Amino acid sequence: MDQFPTTEAAVSALRAIAADYGREIKVSHDIGADQTSRRSAAGVGVTTDPDGSLPHEAYVELGGSPRVSVRLYPDDDALIIVEGVECPDVPRADVPAFLRSVLDGLAHVKGRRFPPGYFLIVPLPGDRTHREFMPMVSLTPWLSGRVR
């Protein structure tokens, strides 16, 4: 069973995380197949999916450093952006753990010489990690401070 079966449940979890870390949070909601980003082929005036459900997508921004935003899709996944580094296809159930790793300072950057570049590495529960490639030019001061 999904720990966050709805977009609203995931938003509530993100609100709790923002409160725990004393971060400002801004949330915007897109509801309906004609409003959500992955439903552009829904047609004019169509608001429901073929099964009659009303898709719900949310965009969340956390204030402070590091800059973090989350787009929760109706398809049980999310796009998390940390300091400009896009981490797509994060399962919705992993979003709170992902954010806690970033905000607790567990996320780090690992570099390589050839081909030159870096990876943002975010530890997740169960000895899992999320790795995202990023070019050297995208290192912000926050990311530079986490290079190992």
Side-chain angles (χ1 to χ4, degrees):
M1 178 79 183
D2 187 5
Q3 185 178 4
F4 304 103
T6 65
T7 300
E8 194 56 43
V11 168
S12 294
L14 296 181
R15 286 185 194 279
I17 289 170
D20 289 348
Y21 290 89
R23 305 294 285 281
E24 183 181 325
I25 185 169
K26 293 180 185 176
V27 181
S28 62
H29 298 273
D30 294 319
I31 300 174
D34 60 338
Q35 300 295 312
T36 57
S37 63
R38 290 188 175 169
R39 304 287 202 290
S40 59
V44 176
V46 177
T47 58
T48 61
D49 281 343
D51 65 357
S53 65
L54 200 59
H56 179 191
E57 181 175 296
Y59 181 73
V60 178
E61 288 182 282
L62 295 177
S65 179
R67 291 174 295 131
V68 178
S69 65
V70 180
R71 179 165 298 279
L72 295 162
Y73 296 110
D75 304 325
D76 295 333
D77 68 328
L79 166 66
I80 301 176
I81 303 174
V82 178
E83 286 289 316
V85 178
E86 291 189 3
C87 303
D89 304 322
V90 176
R92 188 183 333 193
D94 286 342
V95 170
F98 187 105
L99 287 183
R100 287 190 186 279
S101 283
V102 169
L103 298 175
D104 282 339
L106 300 174
H108 60 278
V109 175
K110 192 168 194 169
R112 65 176 185 202
R113 291 181 188 246
F114 190 79
Y118 291 93
F119 285 92
L120 174 64
I121 300 172
V122 181
L124 297 170
D127 279 342
R128 297 176 301 132
T129 59
H130 183 92
R131 294 174 50 98
E132 205 59 53
F133 178 77
M134 50 191 249
M136 288 190 330
V137 297
S138 64
L139 281 181
T140 64
W142 186 86
L143 291 168
S144 294
R146 275 133 193 93
V147 173
R148 291 187 184 170

